[in-house]
Amino acid sequence: WEMHPNLDQIVACTAGDIQAYRGSSFEIEANAFAAELLMPSFLLSNELQFRSPTVETALRLADRFQTSFTASALRMIQFSQLPVFVAFSANGRLKWYQGSACSKDYFFKQLGSELDGDSLARYCTTELDELSQPEYVESSAWFPDDYHKHRFKVLEESVELGDYGVTVSIITVDD
């Protein structure tokens, strides 16, 4: 309301904007504002110092800042100095993902594509409250270019968000 006073606020944010928020500049602005308000950069950088981008780290952030696991995981990768992705899948297909600033050189799986059988996400039954350790998977599970298979290792950690029917994966490239 403060940033866009001339915009009709009643229709500024529709259900469609929230579902496909990458296409809505207003929703992107609102998410960035909320993330900074709830998980301020100066506090978050201290929390993430010496921590790997894992499900456990995202859960710690969610507890510390009283935010959702999803928001915490996405904020966590914003501060990561590693090439890391948070991926959301449902019904065996990749729905969306976000990568860290260091991940730009890696060609990730295409949205809507079927999950690879080598990914942990494909057959994930681990609930969010059942912590596990990240595991190495074939790089081709998330990075479709064959030449990547021999170039780097990929750590994956996947958990089910049972009430939502989605699997959240944290995928880190280990060069």
Side-chain angles (χ1 to χ4, degrees), residues 32-61:
F33 175 80
E36 187 62 34
L37 179 70
L38 296 173
M39 296 175 272
S41 298
F42 71 96
L43 292 176
L44 195 64
S45 59
N46 288 338
E47 287 290 322
L48 291 173
Q49 194 173 23
F50 310 115
R51 293 196 187 276
S52 298
T54 64
V55 168
E56 183 178 7
T57 301
L59 283 170
R60 285 177 185 247
L61 293 175

Side-chain angles (χ1 to χ4, degrees), residues 53-74:
T54 64
V55 168
E56 183 178 7
T57 301
L59 283 170
R60 285 177 185 247
L61 293 175
D63 184 55
R64 164 81 165 86
F65 293 102
Q66 296 298 293
T67 53
S68 71
F69 169 75
T70 301
S72 300
L74 291 170

Side-chain angles (χ1 to χ4, degrees), residues 110-124:
Q110 187 174 3
L111 293 181
S113 61
E114 189 173 335
L115 294 176
D116 190 279
D118 287 331
S119 72
L120 299 178
R122 176 67 180 187
Y123 305 105
C124 183

